[in-house]
RNA sequence: CGGGGUGUAGCUCAGCUUGGUAGAGCGCUUCGUUCGGGACGAAGAGGUCGCAGGUUCAAAUCCUGUCACCCCGACCA
């Protein structure tokens, strides 16, 4: 069904994109990615082109996180894209976990196939794996760098692309190639390594909450969901608007598994040779998918100001030739004054859209991109020394005239308010859809879609985060996954104020004792 | 990798059942009228119908294979 048909179909309000979230959430997501001009599919299967408006978001994410990594003592470095196959083979669980999704380079040149085409030639002695993650190649380097306890801790981060040959891909959420950062650290003691793992988990929580306005639950993964080769995996889990969970970042305590596999050893203060304790942690362009699914609405994207590529667009109303130059000059001055203001410790990011397009069309394009503020400026505003302002997290007709100077002076505060409002809204949605469940029947009912009307279609959006006691049986978790496609998202870490989290109780599925509640949900 | 669906103009799609040599809307270009809100009129450009075979006098249409994308599973950040 095309947009036109849908528009004519009924009296419902016209939305900037179709379908609405309620009608078809998965399709809505794809329309946002496309219509907000963030990314598109490419000629290469499973790989995306990140467009300037989407890439600018990634640059802001990088900047914010990188500052936090530096502030916690980490340094950036860069390691090879290619990993010798033998490296990957060293850690048994690790290989098993990644083997199925590795791209492998077997040749190093091309030659003519005699029919006008090219064929690979020069077979490599040892195949190279395109990194799916860099524990092994960085571990091998660490083994060379570390000799003494004085070399520890070693705190390294890499910004890079990785490749995981996934069966099914979705822009930003799961692509064959994606951009991410991976932190890798080595420590003298287990305690220090665990502390590092939790420190970076907290950095991720802080970033997701205060930069992306995505409220997250932090916690530990169950054995079945753990990173291949890790002792413990911790994660941040956000709730999307369809109430499914999105794993938005992970932090792994790797114990001595990788240091033993790769001989990362050091001489301690008693001259004994010891294996180091390592960690790794990462977030990826998937965060942008989380941003879309947390904040977007039926009119497309809404950017939290802190990571928005631009904060405000000035839309000059230029159709009268005699006022054109004056309006433009007024807009230029306004832009200059706004840029002199700061938000989040940096100059306000301002655009002027002078393109010769119809006002409505232009305005809708910026609405779809999710820019926080739109200022329409025409002769009338100029006469009143005012601007006509719309805020993206409010209705598109809810615009108001503001005195120019008051608007300029208040822009930083207004962006801050919008950032806070977005977090508050997302948090309320999360809290509304978080429930404590104490019986197996109630649990199964909660995750079984309700049928509505006569068409027998499952309710498209249902469920949420269910907190139950849990005995920890791997088989039970498997069974529930099979029955309902629901998994334990995490065993929440303490002190998040989650209801009943730390109270002991009884597992509703097995009747066995349980130390505390875990979070169950369907997930991406 | 299993089940389902779709590939036709830049985009969204019709045409396929019943084979006869390419259509619409949007977008784009030009001109005019408009313009505080996703305009209207006129003219114009644009496609070897995903790809490869086969059947046929003739294939977008029928058959086989193949590739890509989407949805549901399995896998996963």
């Amino acid at each position: 069904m095309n947009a036109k048909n849908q528009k004519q179909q009924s009296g419902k309000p016209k939305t900037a994109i179709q379908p609405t979230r309620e009608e078809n959430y998965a399709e809505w997501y794809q329309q946002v990615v496309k219509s907000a001009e963030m990314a598109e599919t490419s000629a290469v299967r499973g790989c995306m082109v990140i467009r300037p408006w989407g890439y600018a978001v990634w640059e802001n994410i990088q900047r914010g996180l990188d500052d936090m990594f530096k502030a916690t003592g980490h340094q950036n470095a860069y390691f090879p894209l290619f990993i010798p196959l033998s490296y990957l083979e060293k850690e048994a669980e690790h290989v098993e976990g990644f083997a199925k999704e590795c791209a492998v380079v077997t040749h190093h040149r091309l030659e003519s196939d005699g029919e006008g085409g090219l064929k690979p030639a020069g077979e490599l002695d040892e195949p190279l794996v395109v990194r799916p993650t860099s524990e092994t190649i960085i571990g091998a380097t660490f083994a060379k760098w570390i000799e003494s306890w004085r070399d520890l801790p070693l705190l390294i981060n890499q910004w890079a692309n990785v490749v995981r040959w996934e069966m099914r891909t979705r822009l930003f959420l799961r692509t064959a190639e994606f951009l991410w950062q991976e932190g890798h650290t080595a420590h003298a003691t287990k305690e220090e390594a665990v502390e590092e793992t939790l420190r970076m988990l907290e950095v991720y929580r802080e970033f997701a909450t205060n930069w992306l306005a995505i409220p997250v639950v932090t916690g530990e993964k169950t054995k079945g969901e753990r990173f291949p080769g890790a002792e413990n995996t911790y994660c941040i889990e956000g709730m999307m608007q369809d109430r499914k969970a999105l794993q938005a970042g992970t932090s792994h305590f790797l114990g001595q598994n990788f240091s033993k596999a790769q001989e990362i050893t050091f001489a301690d203060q008693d001259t004994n040779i010891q294996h180091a304790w390592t960690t790794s942690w990462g977030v990826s362009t998937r965060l942008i998918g989380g941003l879309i699914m947390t904040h977007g609405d039926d009119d497309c994207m809404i950017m939290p100001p802190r990571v928005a590529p631009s904060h405000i667009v000035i839309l000059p109303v230029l159709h009268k030739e005699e006022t054109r130059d004056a309006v433009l000059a007024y807009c230029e001055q306004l832009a200059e004054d706004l840029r002199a203001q700061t938000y989040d410790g940096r100059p306000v990011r301002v655009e002027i859209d002078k393109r010769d397009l119809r006002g409505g069309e232009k305005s809708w394009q910026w609405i779809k991109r999710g820019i926080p503020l739109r200022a329409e400026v025409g002769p009338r505003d100029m006469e009143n020394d005012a601007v006509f302002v719309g805020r993206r997290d409010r209705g598109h007709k809810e615009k108001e005239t503001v005195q120019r100077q008051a608007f300029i002076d208040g822009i930083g505060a207004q962006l801050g308010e919008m950032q806070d409002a977005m977090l508050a809204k997302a948090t309320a949605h999360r809290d509304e859809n978080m429930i404590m469940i104490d019986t197996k029947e109630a649990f199964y009912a909660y995750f079984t879609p309700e049928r509505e009307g006569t068409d027998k279609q499952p309710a498209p959006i249902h469920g949420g985060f269910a907190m139950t006691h849990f005995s920890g049986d791997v088989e039970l978790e498997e069974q529930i996954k099979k029955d309902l496609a629901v998994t334990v998202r995490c065993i929440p870490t303490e002190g998040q104020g989650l209801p009943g989290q730390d109270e002991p109780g009884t597992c509703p599925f097995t009747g066995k004792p349980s130390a505390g509640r875990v979070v169950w949900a369907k997930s991406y």
Side-chain angles (χ1 to χ4, degrees):
Chain A
M1 182 184 306
N2 64 29
K4 191 132 201 153
N5 289 342
Q6 203 149 37
K7 183 169 78 179
Q8 291 166 348
Q9 210 172 48
S10 66
K12 73 183 176 202
K14 185 185 177 186
T15 52
I17 55 169
Q18 288 84 31
T20 63
R21 289 162 292 181
E22 195 65 39
E23 286 163 350
N24 184 345
Y25 193 83
E27 179 62 23
W28 165 83
Y29 174 80
Q30 295 195 95
Q31 289 302 323
V32 176
V33 172
K34 192 168 88 176
S35 302
E37 298 171 20
M38 295 209 272
E40 59 194 37
T41 52
S42 70
V44 184
R45 178 201 173 103
C47 295
M48 64 178 162
V49 172
I50 305 177
R51 301 182 63 182
W53 190 251
Y55 196 78
V57 175
W58 181 240
E59 287 178 311
N60 287 334
I61 289 174
Q62 283 185 302
R63 181 171 52 76
L65 275 173
D66 203 61
D67 286 348
M68 290 165 93
F69 297 157
K70 303 274 170 64
T72 44
H74 303 84
Q75 292 180 296
N76 285 332
Y78 188 80
F79 299 84
L81 169 66
F82 303 116
I83 299 177
L85 189 58
S86 57
Y87 280 31
L88 215 60
E89 287 165 344
K90 284 179 184 166
E91 216 292 336
E93 280 186 28
H94 192 64
V95 203
E96 199 180 323
F98 284 103
K100 279 182 282 182
E101 52 194 59
C102 284
V104 187
V105 179
T106 53
H107 294 74
H108 67 88
R109 74 189 144 82
L110 295 168
E111 61 186 26
S112 168
D113 64 2
E115 293 164 16
L118 291 166
K119 62 178 184 188
E123 191 169 353
L124 299 174
D125 292 339
E126 181 182 359
L128 296 170
V129 173
V130 180
R131 64 182 163 216
T133 178
S134 303
E135 274 74 11
T136 56
I137 187 105
I138 292 181
T141 311
F142 277 16
K144 289 198 279 183
W145 288 355
I146 296 166
E147 292 181 50
S148 149
W149 63 276
R150 292 177 216 273
D151 298 324
L152 297 173
L154 181 56
L155 308 174
I156 296 294
N157 177 63
Q158 152 166 277
W159 290 97
N161 57 340
V162 287
V163 168
R164 297 181 187 177
W165 215 259
E166 303 288 352
M167 290 298 164
R168 258 179 78 191
T169 57
R170 299 182 73 185
L171 293 179
F172 288 121
L173 297 175
R174 184 173 302 108
T175 44
E177 179 192 18
F178 55 95
L179 305 182
W180 78 344
Q181 59 67 218
E182 46 182 326
H184 295 270
T185 68
H187 307 261
T189 66
K190 178 178 179 179
E191 290 67 33
E192 277 181 44
V194 169
E195 196 186 317
E196 166 77 5
T197 309
L198 294 173
R199 180 185 300 118
M200 300 324 288
L201 181 70
E202 174 55 20
V203 164
Y204 288 158
R205 190 202 60 75
E206 152 89 15
F207 184 79
T209 309
N210 294 330
W211 285 69
L212 305 178
I214 301 177
V216 291
V217 174
T218 61
E220 187 179 343
K221 285 294 188 192
T222 57
K223 200 178 172 194
E225 299 272 324
R226 213 173 268 161
F227 177 78
E231 293 283 307
N232 303 96
T233 288
Y234 296 87
C235 61
I236 54 172
E237 295 278 337
M239 184 192 291
M240 304 296 101
Q241 291 181 79
D242 63 353
R243 305 184 208 163
K244 283 189 183 170
L246 181 76
Q247 180 175 309
T250 49
S251 186
H252 314 291
F253 169 60
L254 303 175
Q256 293 178 310
N257 295 339
F258 284 87
S259 65
K260 283 181 176 165
Q262 303 193 272
E263 293 299 317
I264 306 172
T265 57
F266 67 97
D268 68 14
Q269 289 165 75
D270 301 321
T271 73
N272 298 315
I273 299 295
Q274 293 210 31
H275 288 281
W277 299 81
T278 65
T279 81
S280 69
W281 28 275
V283 298
S284 71
T285 36
R286 172 179 258 201
L287 287 176
I288 299 173
L291 216 47
I292 293 168
M293 290 199 291
T294 301
H295 302 300
D297 68 7
D298 293 337
D299 287 328
C300 208
M301 185 58 193
I302 304 180
M303 294 280 184
R306 266 188 120 170
V307 291
S310 233
H311 291 131
I312 176 163
V313 62
I314 299 171
L315 302 165
V317 180
L318 293 172
H319 48 261
K320 289 197 186 78
E321 201 52 50
E322 58 273 23
T323 53
R324 190 187 166 91
D325 290 348
V327 168
L328 273 179
Y330 185 85
C331 289
E332 294 285 3
Q333 185 59 50
L334 177 63
E336 195 177 310
D337 293 345
L338 286 168
R339 288 190 185 113
Q341 299 294 309
T342 60
Y343 164 65
D344 193 24
R346 296 165 58 89
V348 170
R349 303 189 276 270
V350 186
E351 313 239 356
I352 304 182
D353 190 344
K354 301 178 203 169
R355 288 175 303 165
D356 186 19
L357 291 178
R358 301 187 54 73
E361 199 180 337
K362 231 197 266 194
S363 184
W364 277 107
Q365 196 174 96
W366 288 103
I367 288 171
K368 285 190 277 194
R369 286 175 173 169
I371 197 163
L373 298 169
R374 303 182 307 283
E376 296 165 17
V377 178
R380 230 184 286 159
D381 307 291
M382 209 169 65
E383 270 168 39
N384 301 326
D385 198 34
V387 291
F388 193 52
V389 181
R391 205 172 104 174
R392 182 60 183 88
D393 63 333
R394 297 180 177 156
H396 67 266
K397 285 182 180 157
E398 215 178 304
K399 294 181 281 195
E400 53 183 13
T401 297
V402 187
Q403 282 307 298
R404 200 181 70 95
Q405 196 57 48
F407 177 67
I408 292 166
D409 294 341
I411 183 119
Q414 182 158 33
L415 289 167
E417 244 171 59
M418 181 170 163
Q419 178 83 28
D420 293 345
M422 289 178 73
L423 176 61
K425 187 178 176 189
T427 306
H429 174 264
R430 199 247 338 237
D431 292 347
E432 277 161 25
N433 293 293
M434 220 162 159
I435 184 176
M436 280 205 273
I437 292 182
D438 290 311
T439 67
K440 183 178 171 178
E441 293 69 34
F443 184 87
Y444 271 69
Y446 185 62
F447 284 112
T448 304
E450 295 160 21
R451 311 272 162 168
E452 52 183 29
T454 51
D455 56 2
K456 298 289 178 201
Q457 289 298 305
I461 296 176
H462 66 275
F465 283 10
M467 299 194 64
T468 77
H469 284 288
F470 178 51
S471 59
D473 287 295
V474 176
E475 297 81 16
L476 172 60
E477 205 183 340
E478 271 305 310
Q479 188 59 49
I480 290 172
K481 186 175 180 181
K482 217 177 269 177
D483 293 346
L484 300 170
V486 170
T487 50
V488 175
R489 296 324 301 155
C490 68
I491 304 154
T493 45
E494 288 172 18
Q496 298 182 69
L498 298 177
Q501 160 191 357
D502 304 325
E503 73 192 21
T506 309
C507 171
F509 308 103
T510 59
K512 292 182 194 167
S514 146
R517 290 177 188 269
V518 302
V519 176
W520 297 84
K522 295 190 179 179
S523 72
Y524 280 95

